[in-house]
Amino acid sequence: MTHLVQLNDTPLALDDPALLSAAGYGHFTSMQVRDGKVRGLDLHLDRLDRSSRELFGHGVAADRVLTYLRTALASSPSGDLSIRVNAFTRDRSFIDGTPVEPDLLLTLTDPIEPTSEPPRLLAVEHERTAPHLKHTGTFSLTHEIRRARLAGYDNALFYNRAGHVSEASIWNICFAVDDRIVWPAAEVLPGITMLSLRAALDVARETVDIPLSALGDYRAAYLTNSIDPALPVASITSPAGSTEYKPDPASADLIANAYLRIPWQEI
């Protein structure tokens, strides 16, 4: 079969046009690299292996990933950058259950700085397919971000059909109450930063159902991912009403100090 790939009115030269169609099914992990080191590197490697076993029936060895990461770093003029590792396959036999070792596509970009302003979130009912996987099916996430911005907000927060908070579009979320940090019990993507913070926090931490009606019971809310380890939330608007959060130095320091305790790991 002949493949022709054309961008607008210009044909593109691709050695393997099947890459375009194959990239629709797969998973990825994104990491912030500083001086050739990554926080939670072991968790990124575990995510790639575990998710590949589930989606392709074949894991990805940590040594293989590290070799590719080191090759990518060697080609970069700086040890400070962002790296995204996509796992996918051009071998369609995986659909029938044949174990297939996935390809890995590494994308290197400039380092991403943390978000500067506390976002105003619009809560929408949305449940991701296979939420435990960081999969490439991100259409719905982008769609909800766009809808939130068109409505005058900065981003979207998700709640499930039971009316319980789960996660934000590209972040996990946690809440501060008394001397505790609380995480939603709803199904979410177990983010690398979330897992690392849970292990590093030296205060009581809980995982509980958080109904929309209870958002006002918390002193503060924080978004967490590899870019924003503790991004304070300005407000959440939901069908239950609007909740505004004031700066809370005590809980912000707790999370920031926990993040600093997460060790850097050499690639």
Side-chain angles (χ1 to χ4, degrees):
M1 178 179 180
T2 300
H3 286 84
L4 171 65
V5 180
Q6 180 172 308
L7 177 62
N8 298 323
D9 61 351
T10 304
L12 296 180
L14 290 179
D15 292 337
D16 187 355
L19 285 171
L20 292 178
S21 58
Y25 178 87
H27 64 92
F28 68 98
T29 196
S30 296
M31 58 190 78
Q32 294 300 308
V33 184
R34 299 296 182 269
D35 192 27
K37 301 181 181 68
V38 177
R39 281 190 167 105
L41 177 60
D42 54 339
L43 297 176
H44 285 285
L45 298 174
D46 177 70
R47 167 189 276 172
L48 288 169
D49 181 60
R50 178 170 27 83
S51 299
S52 291
R53 292 182 187 278
E54 180 170 345
L55 294 183
F56 306 111
H58 195 299
V60 177
D63 286 347
R64 178 187 173 201
V65 181
L66 289 171
T67 296
Y68 296 166
L69 287 172
R70 290 163 184 160
T71 300
L73 276 175
S75 67
S76 172
S78 169
D80 296 347
L81 64 160
S82 300
I83 299 181
R84 172 169 166 152
V85 184
N86 277 76
F88 68 100
T89 183
R90 291 162 287 182
D91 185 344
R92 307 303 291 174
S93 65
F94 81 91
I95 294 177
D96 299 320
T98 301
V100 173
E101 184 175 20
D103 291 310
L104 298 179
L105 177 68
L106 279 68
T107 306
L108 282 65
T109 59
D110 291 334
I112 303 174
E113 296 303 319
T115 306
S116 58
E117 294 295 328
R120 297 165 297 114
L121 303 179
L122 177 64
V124 296
E125 182 177 344
H126 178 69
E127 298 179 22
R128 292 191 305 112
T129 301
H132 63 290
L133 295 172
K134 194 175 180 71
H135 53 73
T136 54
T138 58
F139 166 83
S140 61
L141 306 185
T142 304
H143 183 56
E144 294 300 345
I145 293 171
R146 182 175 186 271
R147 291 180 63 193
R149 291 182 179 174
L150 287 174
Y153 298 88
D154 298 310
N155 218 296
L157 176 72
F158 300 148
Y159 62 88
N160 62 20
R161 68 193 72 183
H164 295 159
V165 172
S166 55
E167 57 194 341
S169 60
I170 59 171
W171 299 273
N172 290 113
I173 189 168
C174 63
F175 297 86
V177 58
D178 299 328
D179 58 350
R180 308 190 309 280
I181 300 297
V182 175
W183 306 82
E187 287 190 298
V188 301
L189 173 72
I192 302 300
T193 302
M194 181 191 80
L195 295 174
S196 300
L197 283 173
R198 282 183 176 180
L201 279 166
D202 56 6
V203 297
R205 50 194 181 277
E206 299 179 13
T207 302
V208 300
D209 287 327
I210 302 177
L212 295 176
S213 59
L215 288 174
D217 297 342
Y218 298 97
R219 296 201 320 264
Y222 298 93
L223 302 177
T224 68
N225 63 12
S226 64
I227 301 168
D228 300 304
L231 175 62
V233 174
S235 65
I236 299 175
T237 299
S238 77
S242 184
T243 300
E244 294 189 4
Y245 297 104
K246 297 179 180 179
D248 185 50
S251 60
D253 287 346
L254 276 176
I255 299 176
N257 290 333
Y259 184 70
L260 291 176
R261 286 193 291 272
I262 301 170
W264 289 99
Q265 295 176 285
E266 187 92 39
I267 290 177

